[in-house]
């Protein structure tokens, strides 16, 4: 047992693993399912919204990437906050990140159950949640290479799916087989590109417009910071992390902006609903599209519906898989800082932080109970709780980077992977994130904003208690 405690995380993630983990982080359920509500609020201008939010996500990725390449350690931005900002910042950012992805894990497990019910509605939500809960945690208890390989293939499926959608959608648009409604004019012929302007409504009328949609759009990019978490287990991080980080921008342009351009050209934006994936709706309109193979007639609608369900199920499994990985590494990093119990540093024979995985799994297992007791309300409740933690996470990354750069500049150290437009990109990112908080206050997520100071107070009290406990047990080290 003692021998395991002295082991360190092993560098088992190759370049192809890092590249696909980064790519997978940019493609999730936010693209497949989250576009609908944003499209209702902003119309075609939602395309610009994804480009703006994607630029901010890229800036924050570069800020994190600069720190990670300079010091590829476990705990990622929590360790940097602890070192360059202060002990409470390290404590708060680490535990906030852990809570964030505990909640995301719960939400994704619930979503997985819903996707399974597409084929087998008789299977209870909690049953499929429990099954995949066990499978994904077993994968993560194996070596980091097993996690990397699993995430590699999950990401391949998502990438191939998006590329296929873009290519097939472009074919339908250019060939005329998309029907009479398929035309580029859909981008501006019904109220213009900005049908609701930048912001409209208020009072008794719900807010709409691009700024209101940004609240939803921003959360599509949560998870991009996962590349920073992999640093301690990445082979040749000085080469592989910058490569993965720099490719985020064009991935966003291709997979989000490109896919949405095709989507809005194929159908009038007012036909999009919030309850189903716009991609499903587009292809479901092609009821007459059929082909013959081996003497049998196949109807496109049923094939695409099943294929898309496979894709969104894969996307949810990918997110949950990465949540288990990143949460365990964050707990491991917090334990190394002394901000979490020492037993969380224990590694198994595969160099995986076994106790950190099991502790997180025990908390996430509550999802199975939630899905048993309130299956209809579970997903909505869990997703509303994610909002606050995600905003805090991104704000702390960009602020930590500013403290990091000030110290490096003072020491006259030129970093190996400097961020773009420092410090302008930091200020722009902070302004954007604060703006999102303001919009959340006015667009039905007021409780999420109000929870932020309450959560920070809980973290502060917890930090004081941990600090006192450390001083009691290690008076010399504390002083």
């Amino acid at each position: 047992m003692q021998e395991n405690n002295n082991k360190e995380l092993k560098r088992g993630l190759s370049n192809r693993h890092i590249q696909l983990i980064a790519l997978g982080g940019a493609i999730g359920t936010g693209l497949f399912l989250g576009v609908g509500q944003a499209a209702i609020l902003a119309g075609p201008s939602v395309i610009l919204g994804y480009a703006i939010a994607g630029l901010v996500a890229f800036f924050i990725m570069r800020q994190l990437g600069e720190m990670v390449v300079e010091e590829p350690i476990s705990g990622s931005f929590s360790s940097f906050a602890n070192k360059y900002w202060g002990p409470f910042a390290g404590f708060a950012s680490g535990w906030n990140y852990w809570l964030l992805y505990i909640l995301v894990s719960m939400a994704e497990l619930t979503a997985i159950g819903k996707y399974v019910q597409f084929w087998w509605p008789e299977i209870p939500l909690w049953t499929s949640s429990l099954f995949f809960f066990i499978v994904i945690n077993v994968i993560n208890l194996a070596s980091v290479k097993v996690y990397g390989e699993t995430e590699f293939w999950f990401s391949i499926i998502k990438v191939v799916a998006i590329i296929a959608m873009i290519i097939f959608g472009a074919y339908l648009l250019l060939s005329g087989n998309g029907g009479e409604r398929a035309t580029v004019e859909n981008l501006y012929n019904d109220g213009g590109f900005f049908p609701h302007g930048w912001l409209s409504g208020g009072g008794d009328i719900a807010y709409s417009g691009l700024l209101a949609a940004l609240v939803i759009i921003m959360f599509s990019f949560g998870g991009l910071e996962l590349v920073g978490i992999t640093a301690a287990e990445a082979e040749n991080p000085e080469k592989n992390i910058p490569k993965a980080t720099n490719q985020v921008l064009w991935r966003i342009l291709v997979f989000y902006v490109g896919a949405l351009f095709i989507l809005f050209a194929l159908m009038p934006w007012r036909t999009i609903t919030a309850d189903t994936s716009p991609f499903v709706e587009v292809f479901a309109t092609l009821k007459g599209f059929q082909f013959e193979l081996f003497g049998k007639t196949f109807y496109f609608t049923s094939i695409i519906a099943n294929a898309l369900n496979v894709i969104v199920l894969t996307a949810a499994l990918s997110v949950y898989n990465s949540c288990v990985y990143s949460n365990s590494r964050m707990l491991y990093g917090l334990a190394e800082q002394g901000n979490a119990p020492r037993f969380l540093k224990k590694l198994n024979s595969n160099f995986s932080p076994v106790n950190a995985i099991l502790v997180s799994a025990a908390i996430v297992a509550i999802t199975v109970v939630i899905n048993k007791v309130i299956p209809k309300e579970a997903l909505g409740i869990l997703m509303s709780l994610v909002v606050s933690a995600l905003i805090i996470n991104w704000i702390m990354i960009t602020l930590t980077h500013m403290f990091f750069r000030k110290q490096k500049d003072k020491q006259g150290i030129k970093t190996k992977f400097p961020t773009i437009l420092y410090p302008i990109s930091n200020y722009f990112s902070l302004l954007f994130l604060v703006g999102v908080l303001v919009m959340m206050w006015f667009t039905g997520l007021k409780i999420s904003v109000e929870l932020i100071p309450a959560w920070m107070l809980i973290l502060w009290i917890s930090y004081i208690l941990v600090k006192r406990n450390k001083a009691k047990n290690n008076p010399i080290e504390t002083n």
Side-chain angles (χ1 to χ4, degrees), residues 386-414:
V386 167
V387 178
S388 304
L390 183 59
I391 290 283
I392 295 169
N393 183 41
W394 281 30
I395 286 176
M396 293 198 83
I397 289 174
T398 195
L399 284 173
T400 296
H401 175 259
M402 294 176 78
F403 284 104
F404 166 86
R405 275 297 298 264
K406 280 180 183 177
Q407 187 158 327
K408 294 298 178 185
D409 291 345
K410 192 181 291 184
Q411 295 170 346
I413 297 173
K414 277 196 169 184

Side-chain angles (χ1 to χ4, degrees), residues 131-161:
F131 174 77
F132 286 107
F133 167 80
I134 294 169
V135 170
I136 297 298
N137 278 284
V138 167
I139 287 171
N140 277 269
L141 284 168
S143 68
V144 68
K145 192 165 282 189
V146 173
Y147 158 74
E149 201 64 33
T150 305
E151 195 56 31
F152 175 84
W153 289 106
F154 278 157
S155 295
I156 284 287
I157 292 171
K158 291 190 287 185
V159 171
V160 170

Side-chain angles (χ1 to χ4, degrees), residues 29-201:
T29 50
L31 175 59
F32 293 117
L33 296 173
V35 176
Q37 185 60 47
I40 291 170
L41 292 173
S45 67
V46 77
I47 299 171
L48 176 62
Y50 272 91
I52 294 170
L55 179 64
V56 173
F58 175 66
F59 282 153
I60 293 173
M61 279 285 292
R62 280 298 301 256
Q63 292 156 19
L64 178 58
E66 180 175 2
M67 295 186 288
V68 164
V69 170
E70 200 68 21
E71 300 175 27
I73 54 178
S74 62
S76 188
F77 49 85
S78 172
S79 297
F80 301 132
N82 184 70
K83 181 177 180 179
Y84 294 102
W85 189 351
F88 173 65
F91 180 92
S93 62
W95 282 109
N96 177 74
Y97 184 86
W98 179 80
L99 176 70
L100 167 62
Y101 284 101
I102 285 291
L103 293 171
V104 172
S105 296
M106 290 178 166
E108 293 299 336
L109 270 178
T110 304
I112 287 165
K114 290 183 180 294
Y115 300 147
V116 170
Q117 286 181 336
F118 176 84
W119 293 302
W120 301 288
E122 69 277 6
I123 295 179
L125 203 61
W126 70 269
T127 305
S128 44
S129 295
L130 177 60
F131 174 77
F132 286 107
F133 167 80
I134 294 169
V135 170
I136 297 298
N137 278 284
V138 167
I139 287 171
N140 277 269
L141 284 168
S143 68
V144 68
K145 192 165 282 189
V146 173
Y147 158 74
E149 201 64 33
T150 305
E151 195 56 31
F152 175 84
W153 289 106
F154 278 157
S155 295
I156 284 287
I157 292 171
K158 291 190 287 185
V159 171
V160 170
I162 288 292
I163 292 173
M165 283 182 190
I166 293 173
I167 292 173
F168 187 70
Y171 159 74
L172 292 174
L173 191 63
L174 296 173
S175 67
N177 287 320
E180 295 180 359
R181 300 192 307 171
T183 169
V184 176
E185 292 179 3
N186 284 328
L187 294 169
Y188 55 83
N189 67 1
D190 187 4
F193 187 70
F194 289 89
H196 297 303
W198 287 92
L199 187 67
S200 60

